[in-house]
Structures are given as structure tokens and as C-alpha cells.
Amino acid sequence: MTGIVVHPTAIVAKGAQLGAGVKIGPYCIVGDNVVLANDVELISHVVIEGRTTIGAGTRIFPFASVGHQPQDLKFHGEESRLEIGERCTIRESVTINPGTEGGGMLTKIGNDCLLMACSHVAHDALVGNNVVLANYCGLAGHSIVGDYVRFGGICAVHQFVRIGSHAFIGAQSMIDGDVIPYGLAVGNRARLAGLNLVGLKRAGFERDSIHTLRAAYRMIFSSEGTLRERVDDAAVMFKDAKLVQEVVSFISSAKDRPLTLPQTGADEE
């Protein structure tokens, strides 16, 4: 391949696969089963191990540790994988672990994600596209994060938690329950604080769609009847509203963790 630049102090295993235009800076280590697609850049002091694939155009900054064995006592050396998408930015001291036999054998991060310094993505986590983890955020094992989710600094996400697309998680929040798509969650333990209206507007959603979603939100998280009854009613009343149906489907498919509710919401099934 043409245009590959490897600094003399870097160590690249013979089995590693490097695409065109890859740049590997000083003191980096690239393992035998690593695949770096075109134009990946490792700035310096980056260590990539395991069965790890890095998508085209991704940049990884100093002291990131990518693909080392999971921090899970149940891991016994199984040949699990880590996949990182295209055009991601992985900043200093980020740690990302591959999957485990108990979680599908795969940790996956989508395209165009930003993982700021000292953030962590644990084994078997599935992260969508255009996700931002601010500094010191941690995603525990088996967590699922939808597209365009934004995390403030120093957030922690409990294992098996799902966070729906376009949600916003406020700084220093501890998320131990599922967060609906387009939701705004904040606190320790986090509570739902409304919809991510700023994010919806920035993403270009139509005004009418946002108003409809707000009406459905008020209905779903009111105090009348049970949560299940309100979700079923919203599914019927807003059957033609795409955003509402996404929220309804998300709530209905809950399995491993409780739902993050507003402060005044009843903790009910």
C-alpha cells in the first residue's frame, strides 16, 4: 500500500493490516490481528491489540489503549472483537475493550464519534454514529447507545442500560435506567428532565414534529393510569408520528434495566 508512514520507534506486528495513507507515530504498538483502514492516524504512544478493526480516517491520540482484554472476570481469552467506525476521534488516555462470550463477542463504535480524554467503552457495548462522550465518561458492559447521543463530562452508564438516539445526558450524571430517544437526563441517580429540545432543533427536526413529540411526552409521563396504559394510548393517538413511535417502541422493548423517569413520574411497570 502507498503512503504508509511508520515512525522508527513504533512496533507493528507482522500480521497487522495497514491501509493506504496510514500514519503511525512515535512509540505506538500495533498488534498482530489489528486492521487499520485507509488514512487512520495514530498520533503517538497508542497501543492497539486484539482482533480490532479501525475504520478509515479515524485519529487516535496519545496513550489510548484500544482492544486489550476486557475488564471482566468472566473473560477467558475468547477470540472476541472490537470494531471502530470511520472518521472517529479518540482522544488521550481513552480505553476501549473488545467483547466477551457472554455478550455477543463484539464491542462496536459507529462512524463520526468523538471520545474525549479518559473516556471508557467497556466490553460488548454498542455505540451508534455521531456520538460524543465528553471527558471521563464511562460506558459499562453491554450498554447500548443510539445515534447522535451527547454526554456531558464525568458521566457513568450502568451495564445493560440503553440510551435512545438523540438523547442528551447532563454532566456528572449516573445513568442506571434506560433513557428514551430524544430525552434529556441529568442527576445522580439520573432522572428524566424533559426532551432534548436543543438537540432536536440543531438536528433539523421539523417544528411540528417536535410539538407532537412534546405532547406525547406529556401524555406518557403524566400521572393518570399506569405507564403501560399511557404508552399504549400514545401509540394509538400518535400512530402517524415517527418520533413518537420510536419512543413508544423503545419503552415497549425494555428488558434488562428500568426506565429513567421524570422526578414526579411514578416508578411503575
Side-chain angles (χ1 to χ4, degrees), residues 27-60:
Y27 301 101
C28 293
I29 299 176
V30 179
D32 205 49
N33 296 299
V34 173
V35 177
L36 304 181
N38 295 348
D39 300 315
V40 167
E41 182 178 6
L42 312 183
I43 305 298
S44 74
H45 298 84
V46 175
V47 182
I48 305 180
E49 292 288 353
R51 290 164 177 78
T52 298
T53 300
I54 311 292
T58 288
R59 302 180 74 214
I60 305 181

PDB file of all heavy atoms in Angstrom, residues 27-60:
ATOM      1  N   TYR A  27       6.424   5.535  19.129  1.00  0.00           N
ATOM      2  CA  TYR A  27       6.194   4.662  20.276  1.00  0.00           C
ATOM      3  C   TYR A  27       4.813   3.998  20.288  1.00  0.00           C
ATOM      4  O   TYR A  27       4.337   3.557  21.336  1.00  0.00           O
ATOM      5  CB  TYR A  27       6.437   5.419  21.589  1.00  0.00           C
ATOM      6  CG  TYR A  27       7.832   5.952  21.697  1.00  0.00           C
ATOM      7  CD1 TYR A  27       8.096   7.296  21.445  1.00  0.00           C
ATOM      8  CD2 TYR A  27       8.904   5.117  21.995  1.00  0.00           C
ATOM      9  CE1 TYR A  27       9.395   7.798  21.500  1.00  0.00           C
ATOM     10  CE2 TYR A  27      10.203   5.611  22.054  1.00  0.00           C
ATOM     11  CZ  TYR A  27      10.441   6.937  21.804  1.00  0.00           C
ATOM     12  OH  TYR A  27      11.736   7.434  21.854  1.00  0.00           O
ATOM     13  N   CYS A  28       4.172   3.929  19.154  1.00  0.00           N
ATOM     14  CA  CYS A  28       2.914   3.190  19.064  1.00  0.00           C
ATOM     15  C   CYS A  28       3.187   1.691  18.962  1.00  0.00           C
ATOM     16  O   CYS A  28       4.245   1.267  18.478  1.00  0.00           O
ATOM     17  CB  CYS A  28       2.107   3.630  17.845  1.00  0.00           C
ATOM     18  SG  CYS A  28       1.501   5.335  17.925  1.00  0.00           S
ATOM     19  N   ILE A  29       2.220   0.884  19.407  1.00  0.00           N
ATOM     20  CA  ILE A  29       2.305  -0.573  19.288  1.00  0.00           C
ATOM     21  C   ILE A  29       1.016  -1.062  18.623  1.00  0.00           C
ATOM     22  O   ILE A  29      -0.090  -0.747  19.086  1.00  0.00           O
ATOM     23  CB  ILE A  29       2.499  -1.254  20.644  1.00  0.00           C
ATOM     24  CG1 ILE A  29       3.798  -0.778  21.300  1.00  0.00           C
ATOM     25  CG2 ILE A  29       2.490  -2.771  20.492  1.00  0.00           C
ATOM     26  CD1 ILE A  29       4.013  -1.326  22.701  1.00  0.00           C
ATOM     27  N   VAL A  30       1.144  -1.813  17.542  1.00  0.00           N
ATOM     28  CA  VAL A  30       0.001  -2.334  16.800  1.00  0.00           C
ATOM     29  C   VAL A  30       0.116  -3.849  16.764  1.00  0.00           C
ATOM     30  O   VAL A  30       1.111  -4.393  16.277  1.00  0.00           O
ATOM     31  CB  VAL A  30      -0.046  -1.764  15.366  1.00  0.00           C
ATOM     32  CG1 VAL A  30      -1.241  -2.331  14.604  1.00  0.00           C
ATOM     33  CG2 VAL A  30      -0.107  -0.234  15.404  1.00  0.00           C
ATOM     34  N   GLY A  31      -0.897  -4.531  17.275  1.00  0.00           N
ATOM     35  CA  GLY A  31      -0.856  -5.978  17.423  1.00  0.00           C
ATOM     36  C   GLY A  31      -1.063  -6.758  16.139  1.00  0.00           C
ATOM     37  O   GLY A  31      -1.401  -6.211  15.075  1.00  0.00           O
ATOM     38  N   ASP A  32      -0.925  -8.075  16.249  1.00  0.00           N
ATOM     39  CA  ASP A  32      -0.896  -8.974  15.108  1.00  0.00           C
ATOM     40  C   ASP A  32      -2.236  -9.092  14.392  1.00  0.00           C
ATOM     41  O   ASP A  32      -2.278  -9.369  13.187  1.00  0.00           O
ATOM     42  CB  ASP A  32      -0.449 -10.364  15.580  1.00  0.00           C
ATOM     43  CG  ASP A  32       0.181 -11.172  14.471  1.00  0.00           C
ATOM     44  OD1 ASP A  32       1.061 -10.647  13.771  1.00  0.00           O
ATOM     45  OD2 ASP A  32      -0.222 -12.337  14.302  1.00  0.00           O
ATOM     46  N   ASN A  33      -3.345  -8.906  15.088  1.00  0.00           N
ATOM     47  CA  ASN A  33      -4.671  -9.090  14.493  1.00  0.00           C
ATOM     48  C   ASN A  33      -5.409  -7.777  14.265  1.00  0.00           C
ATOM     49  O   ASN A  33      -6.626  -7.755  14.105  1.00  0.00           O
ATOM     50  CB  ASN A  33      -5.522 -10.005  15.380  1.00  0.00           C
ATOM     51  CG  ASN A  33      -4.940 -11.397  15.478  1.00  0.00           C
ATOM     52  OD1 ASN A  33      -4.799 -12.091  14.478  1.00  0.00           O
ATOM     53  ND2 ASN A  33      -4.589 -11.810  16.688  1.00  0.00           N
ATOM     54  N   VAL A  34      -4.673  -6.692  14.236  1.00  0.00           N
ATOM     55  CA  VAL A  34      -5.264  -5.364  14.084  1.00  0.00           C
ATOM     56  C   VAL A  34      -5.373  -5.012  12.600  1.00  0.00           C
ATOM     57  O   VAL A  34      -4.461  -5.290  11.812  1.00  0.00           O
ATOM     58  CB  VAL A  34      -4.412  -4.312  14.817  1.00  0.00           C
ATOM     59  CG1 VAL A  34      -4.913  -2.896  14.514  1.00  0.00           C
ATOM     60  CG2 VAL A  34      -4.432  -4.586  16.322  1.00  0.00           C
ATOM     61  N   VAL A  35      -6.491  -4.381  12.239  1.00  0.00           N
ATOM     62  CA  VAL A  35      -6.693  -3.882  10.880  1.00  0.00           C
ATOM     63  C   VAL A  35      -6.913  -2.374  10.957  1.00  0.00           C
ATOM     64  O   VAL A  35      -7.862  -1.913  11.609  1.00  0.00           O
ATOM     65  CB  VAL A  35      -7.912  -4.550  10.206  1.00  0.00           C
ATOM     66  CG1 VAL A  35      -8.132  -3.960   8.808  1.00  0.00           C
ATOM     67  CG2 VAL A  35      -7.725  -6.053  10.127  1.00  0.00           C
ATOM     68  N   LEU A  36      -6.049  -1.619  10.303  1.00  0.00           N
ATOM     69  CA  LEU A  36      -6.183  -0.171  10.224  1.00  0.00           C
ATOM     70  C   LEU A  36      -6.563   0.180   8.787  1.00  0.00           C
ATOM     71  O   LEU A  36      -5.783  -0.050   7.860  1.00  0.00           O
ATOM     72  CB  LEU A  36      -4.885   0.534  10.613  1.00  0.00           C
ATOM     73  CG  LEU A  36      -4.295   0.205  12.001  1.00  0.00           C
ATOM     74  CD1 LEU A  36      -3.021   1.003  12.236  1.00  0.00           C
ATOM     75  CD2 LEU A  36      -5.313   0.458  13.100  1.00  0.00           C
ATOM     76  N   ALA A  37      -7.751   0.731   8.584  1.00  0.00           N
ATOM     77  CA  ALA A  37      -8.210   1.080   7.242  1.00  0.00           C
ATOM     78  C   ALA A  37      -7.482   2.326   6.730  1.00  0.00           C
ATOM     79  O   ALA A  37      -6.662   2.931   7.434  1.00  0.00           O
ATOM     80  CB  ALA A  37      -9.720   1.298   7.242  1.00  0.00           C
ATOM     81  N   ASN A  38      -7.809   2.734   5.527  1.00  0.00           N
ATOM     82  CA  ASN A  38      -7.126   3.855   4.885  1.00  0.00           C
ATOM     83  C   ASN A  38      -7.150   5.114   5.746  1.00  0.00           C
ATOM     84  O   ASN A  38      -8.183   5.456   6.338  1.00  0.00           O
ATOM     85  CB  ASN A  38      -7.769   4.169   3.538  1.00  0.00           C
ATOM     86  CG  ASN A  38      -7.619   3.040   2.545  1.00  0.00           C
ATOM     87  OD1 ASN A  38      -6.855   2.101   2.764  1.00  0.00           O
ATOM     88  ND2 ASN A  38      -8.351   3.117   1.446  1.00  0.00           N
ATOM     89  N   ASP A  39      -6.007   5.785   5.794  1.00  0.00           N
ATOM     90  CA  ASP A  39      -5.871   7.110   6.400  1.00  0.00           C
ATOM     91  C   ASP A  39      -6.100   7.138   7.907  1.00  0.00           C
ATOM     92  O   ASP A  39      -6.334   8.210   8.479  1.00  0.00           O
ATOM     93  CB  ASP A  39      -6.821   8.112   5.721  1.00  0.00           C
ATOM     94  CG  ASP A  39      -6.535   8.262   4.241  1.00  0.00           C
ATOM     95  OD1 ASP A  39      -5.350   8.386   3.887  1.00  0.00           O
ATOM     96  OD2 ASP A  39      -7.488   8.239   3.435  1.00  0.00           O
ATOM     97  N   VAL A  40      -6.039   6.004   8.564  1.00  0.00           N
ATOM     98  CA  VAL A  40      -6.034   6.004  10.033  1.00  0.00           C
ATOM     99  C   VAL A  40      -4.727   6.629  10.509  1.00  0.00           C
ATOM    100  O   VAL A  40      -3.660   6.385   9.935  1.00  0.00           O
ATOM    101  CB  VAL A  40      -6.181   4.577  10.577  1.00  0.00           C
ATOM    102  CG1 VAL A  40      -5.859   4.521  12.076  1.00  0.00           C
ATOM    103  CG2 VAL A  40      -7.585   4.053  10.330  1.00  0.00           C
ATOM    104  N   GLU A  41      -4.813   7.421  11.572  1.00  0.00           N
ATOM    105  CA  GLU A  41      -3.614   8.047  12.133  1.00  0.00           C
ATOM    106  C   GLU A  41      -3.526   7.777  13.629  1.00  0.00           C
ATOM    107  O   GLU A  41      -4.459   8.068  14.384  1.00  0.00           O
ATOM    108  CB  GLU A  41      -3.612   9.554  11.888  1.00  0.00           C
ATOM    109  CG  GLU A  41      -2.365  10.238  12.423  1.00  0.00           C
ATOM    110  CD  GLU A  41      -2.312  11.732  12.143  1.00  0.00           C
ATOM    111  OE1 GLU A  41      -3.313  12.274  11.628  1.00  0.00           O
ATOM    112  OE2 GLU A  41      -1.274  12.359  12.442  1.00  0.00           O
ATOM    113  N   LEU A  42      -2.395   7.244  14.048  1.00  0.00           N
ATOM    114  CA  LEU A  42      -2.077   7.063  15.456  1.00  0.00           C
ATOM    115  C   LEU A  42      -1.034   8.115  15.801  1.00  0.00           C
ATOM    116  O   LEU A  42       0.095   8.058  15.317  1.00  0.00           O
ATOM    117  CB  LEU A  42      -1.538   5.657  15.719  1.00  0.00           C
ATOM    118  CG  LEU A  42      -2.336   4.481  15.117  1.00  0.00           C
ATOM    119  CD1 LEU A  42      -1.697   3.153  15.538  1.00  0.00           C
ATOM    120  CD2 LEU A  42      -3.795   4.542  15.516  1.00  0.00           C
ATOM    121  N   ILE A  43      -1.404   9.085  16.630  1.00  0.00           N
ATOM    122  CA  ILE A  43      -0.542  10.253  16.852  1.00  0.00           C
ATOM    123  C   ILE A  43       0.785   9.845  17.493  1.00  0.00           C
ATOM    124  O   ILE A  43       1.856  10.101  16.947  1.00  0.00           O
ATOM    125  CB  ILE A  43      -1.267  11.302  17.717  1.00  0.00           C
ATOM    126  CG1 ILE A  43      -2.622  11.689  17.101  1.00  0.00           C
ATOM    127  CG2 ILE A  43      -0.376  12.537  17.896  1.00  0.00           C
ATOM    128  CD1 ILE A  43      -2.535  12.315  15.741  1.00  0.00           C
ATOM    129  N   SER A  44       0.719   9.244  18.669  1.00  0.00           N
ATOM    130  CA  SER A  44       1.917   8.709  19.329  1.00  0.00           C
ATOM    131  C   SER A  44       1.498   7.926  20.560  1.00  0.00           C
ATOM    132  O   SER A  44       0.404   8.148  21.112  1.00  0.00           O
ATOM    133  CB  SER A  44       2.888   9.830  19.742  1.00  0.00           C
ATOM    134  OG  SER A  44       2.395  10.537  20.874  1.00  0.00           O
ATOM    135  N   HIS A  45       2.345   6.975  21.003  1.00  0.00           N
ATOM    136  CA  HIS A  45       2.126   6.240  22.255  1.00  0.00           C
ATOM    137  C   HIS A  45       0.755   5.557  22.313  1.00  0.00           C
ATOM    138  O   HIS A  45       0.200   5.359  23.393  1.00  0.00           O
ATOM    139  CB  HIS A  45       2.288   7.169  23.467  1.00  0.00           C
ATOM    140  CG  HIS A  45       3.645   7.757  23.610  1.00  0.00           C
ATOM    141  ND1 HIS A  45       4.035   8.896  22.925  1.00  0.00           N
ATOM    142  CD2 HIS A  45       4.729   7.373  24.344  1.00  0.00           C
ATOM    143  CE1 HIS A  45       5.278   9.198  23.239  1.00  0.00           C
ATOM    144  NE2 HIS A  45       5.741   8.292  24.089  1.00  0.00           N
ATOM    145  N   VAL A  46       0.208   5.196  21.183  1.00  0.00           N
ATOM    146  CA  VAL A  46      -1.070   4.476  21.123  1.00  0.00           C
ATOM    147  C   VAL A  46      -0.792   2.984  21.093  1.00  0.00           C
ATOM    148  O   VAL A  46       0.106   2.520  20.380  1.00  0.00           O
ATOM    149  CB  VAL A  46      -1.871   4.882  19.869  1.00  0.00           C
ATOM    150  CG1 VAL A  46      -3.142   4.044  19.745  1.00  0.00           C
ATOM    151  CG2 VAL A  46      -2.195   6.366  19.892  1.00  0.00           C
ATOM    152  N   VAL A  47      -1.575   2.205  21.853  1.00  0.00           N
ATOM    153  CA  VAL A  47      -1.434   0.753  21.848  1.00  0.00           C
ATOM    154  C   VAL A  47      -2.757   0.137  21.390  1.00  0.00           C
ATOM    155  O   VAL A  47      -3.805   0.376  21.997  1.00  0.00           O
ATOM    156  CB  VAL A  47      -1.051   0.210  23.236  1.00  0.00           C
ATOM    157  CG1 VAL A  47      -0.874  -1.304  23.176  1.00  0.00           C
ATOM    158  CG2 VAL A  47       0.228   0.869  23.742  1.00  0.00           C
ATOM    159  N   ILE A  48      -2.689  -0.649  20.307  1.00  0.00           N
ATOM    160  CA  ILE A  48      -3.879  -1.315  19.771  1.00  0.00           C
ATOM    161  C   ILE A  48      -3.590  -2.806  19.700  1.00  0.00           C
ATOM    162  O   ILE A  48      -2.630  -3.237  19.045  1.00  0.00           O
ATOM    163  CB  ILE A  48      -4.257  -0.788  18.372  1.00  0.00           C
ATOM    164  CG1 ILE A  48      -4.424   0.733  18.411  1.00  0.00           C
ATOM    165  CG2 ILE A  48      -5.530  -1.461  17.887  1.00  0.00           C
ATOM    166  CD1 ILE A  48      -4.796   1.338  17.077  1.00  0.00           C
ATOM    167  N   GLU A  49      -4.414  -3.592  20.353  1.00  0.00           N
ATOM    168  CA  GLU A  49      -4.222  -5.035  20.408  1.00  0.00           C
ATOM    169  C   GLU A  49      -5.531  -5.751  20.076  1.00  0.00           C
ATOM    170  O   GLU A  49      -6.547  -5.125  19.789  1.00  0.00           O
ATOM    171  CB  GLU A  49      -3.727  -5.453  21.804  1.00  0.00           C
ATOM    172  CG  GLU A  49      -2.320  -4.992  22.135  1.00  0.00           C
ATOM    173  CD  GLU A  49      -1.253  -5.753  21.359  1.00  0.00           C
ATOM    174  OE1 GLU A  49      -1.598  -6.743  20.644  1.00  0.00           O
ATOM    175  OE2 GLU A  49      -0.071  -5.379  21.460  1.00  0.00           O
ATOM    176  N   GLY A  50      -5.492  -7.086  20.138  1.00  0.00           N
ATOM    177  CA  GLY A  50      -6.683  -7.888  19.925  1.00  0.00           C
ATOM    178  C   GLY A  50      -7.159  -7.893  18.488  1.00  0.00           C
ATOM    179  O   GLY A  50      -6.500  -7.384  17.588  1.00  0.00           O
ATOM    180  N   ARG A  51      -8.327  -8.479  18.288  1.00  0.00           N
ATOM    181  CA  ARG A  51      -8.960  -8.528  16.966  1.00  0.00           C
ATOM    182  C   ARG A  51      -9.745  -7.229  16.766  1.00  0.00           C
ATOM    183  O   ARG A  51     -10.955  -7.183  16.920  1.00  0.00           O
ATOM    184  CB  ARG A  51      -9.839  -9.768  16.866  1.00  0.00           C
ATOM    185  CG  ARG A  51      -9.021 -11.038  16.801  1.00  0.00           C
ATOM    186  CD  ARG A  51      -9.798 -12.297  17.092  1.00  0.00           C
ATOM    187  NE  ARG A  51      -8.920 -13.447  16.938  1.00  0.00           N
ATOM    188  CZ  ARG A  51      -8.013 -13.835  17.847  1.00  0.00           C
ATOM    189  NH1 ARG A  51      -7.892 -13.155  18.979  1.00  0.00           N
ATOM    190  NH2 ARG A  51      -7.240 -14.885  17.627  1.00  0.00           N
ATOM    191  N   THR A  52      -8.986  -6.210  16.440  1.00  0.00           N
ATOM    192  CA  THR A  52      -9.507  -4.843  16.407  1.00  0.00           C
ATOM    193  C   THR A  52      -9.453  -4.299  14.992  1.00  0.00           C
ATOM    194  O   THR A  52      -8.427  -4.404  14.317  1.00  0.00           O
ATOM    195  CB  THR A  52      -8.688  -3.938  17.338  1.00  0.00           C
ATOM    196  OG1 THR A  52      -8.798  -4.421  18.684  1.00  0.00           O
ATOM    197  CG2 THR A  52      -9.182  -2.507  17.282  1.00  0.00           C
ATOM    198  N   THR A  53     -10.562  -3.702  14.556  1.00  0.00           N
ATOM    199  CA  THR A  53     -10.635  -3.059  13.249  1.00  0.00           C
ATOM    200  C   THR A  53     -10.936  -1.582  13.449  1.00  0.00           C
ATOM    201  O   THR A  53     -11.897  -1.224  14.142  1.00  0.00           O
ATOM    202  CB  THR A  53     -11.734  -3.689  12.374  1.00  0.00           C
ATOM    203  OG1 THR A  53     -11.444  -5.085  12.191  1.00  0.00           O
ATOM    204  CG2 THR A  53     -11.803  -3.009  11.011  1.00  0.00           C
ATOM    205  N   ILE A  54     -10.135  -0.715  12.847  1.00  0.00           N
ATOM    206  CA  ILE A  54     -10.312   0.734  12.945  1.00  0.00           C
ATOM    207  C   ILE A  54     -10.685   1.263  11.571  1.00  0.00           C
ATOM    208  O   ILE A  54      -9.976   1.044  10.586  1.00  0.00           O
ATOM    209  CB  ILE A  54      -9.020   1.441  13.418  1.00  0.00           C
ATOM    210  CG1 ILE A  54      -8.450   0.751  14.676  1.00  0.00           C
ATOM    211  CG2 ILE A  54      -9.286   2.921  13.662  1.00  0.00           C
ATOM    212  CD1 ILE A  54      -9.281   0.904  15.892  1.00  0.00           C
ATOM    213  N   GLY A  55     -11.815   1.986  11.475  1.00  0.00           N
ATOM    214  CA  GLY A  55     -12.325   2.474  10.206  1.00  0.00           C
ATOM    215  C   GLY A  55     -11.519   3.625   9.626  1.00  0.00           C
ATOM    216  O   GLY A  55     -10.768   4.321  10.323  1.00  0.00           O
ATOM    217  N   ALA A  56     -11.725   3.855   8.343  1.00  0.00           N
ATOM    218  CA  ALA A  56     -10.957   4.849   7.588  1.00  0.00           C
ATOM    219  C   ALA A  56     -11.072   6.244   8.196  1.00  0.00           C
ATOM    220  O   ALA A  56     -12.155   6.671   8.613  1.00  0.00           O
ATOM    221  CB  ALA A  56     -11.438   4.881   6.140  1.00  0.00           C
ATOM    222  N   GLY A  57      -9.943   6.938   8.229  1.00  0.00           N
ATOM    223  CA  GLY A  57      -9.923   8.330   8.650  1.00  0.00           C
ATOM    224  C   GLY A  57     -10.002   8.564  10.137  1.00  0.00           C
ATOM    225  O   GLY A  57     -10.030   9.723  10.586  1.00  0.00           O
ATOM    226  N   THR A  58     -10.013   7.523  10.928  1.00  0.00           N
ATOM    227  CA  THR A  58     -10.067   7.680  12.389  1.00  0.00           C
ATOM    228  C   THR A  58      -8.698   8.113  12.919  1.00  0.00           C
ATOM    229  O   THR A  58      -7.659   7.636  12.455  1.00  0.00           O
ATOM    230  CB  THR A  58     -10.512   6.372  13.050  1.00  0.00           C
ATOM    231  OG1 THR A  58     -11.905   6.185  12.787  1.00  0.00           O
ATOM    232  CG2 THR A  58     -10.291   6.388  14.556  1.00  0.00           C
ATOM    233  N   ARG A  59      -8.696   9.022  13.889  1.00  0.00           N
ATOM    234  CA  ARG A  59      -7.463   9.506  14.517  1.00  0.00           C
ATOM    235  C   ARG A  59      -7.482   9.137  16.000  1.00  0.00           C
ATOM    236  O   ARG A  59      -8.487   9.345  16.691  1.00  0.00           O
ATOM    237  CB  ARG A  59      -7.321  11.024  14.374  1.00  0.00           C
ATOM    238  CG  ARG A  59      -7.329  11.507  12.930  1.00  0.00           C
ATOM    239  CD  ARG A  59      -7.178  13.026  12.893  1.00  0.00           C
ATOM    240  NE  ARG A  59      -5.800  13.422  13.206  1.00  0.00           N
ATOM    241  CZ  ARG A  59      -5.475  14.540  13.860  1.00  0.00           C
ATOM    242  NH1 ARG A  59      -6.423  15.355  14.300  1.00  0.00           N
ATOM    243  NH2 ARG A  59      -4.211  14.847  14.065  1.00  0.00           N
ATOM    244  N   ILE A  60      -6.351   8.606  16.476  1.00  0.00           N
ATOM    245  CA  ILE A  60      -6.244   8.175  17.866  1.00  0.00           C
ATOM    246  C   ILE A  60      -5.051   8.886  18.504  1.00  0.00           C
ATOM    247  O   ILE A  60      -3.942   8.854  17.979  1.00  0.00           O
ATOM    248  CB  ILE A  60      -6.094   6.649  17.963  1.00  0.00           C
ATOM    249  CG1 ILE A  60      -7.256   5.957  17.218  1.00  0.00           C
ATOM    250  CG2 ILE A  60      -6.072   6.211  19.424  1.00  0.00           C
ATOM    251  CD1 ILE A  60      -7.213   4.450  17.274  1.00  0.00           C
TER     252      ILE A  60
END
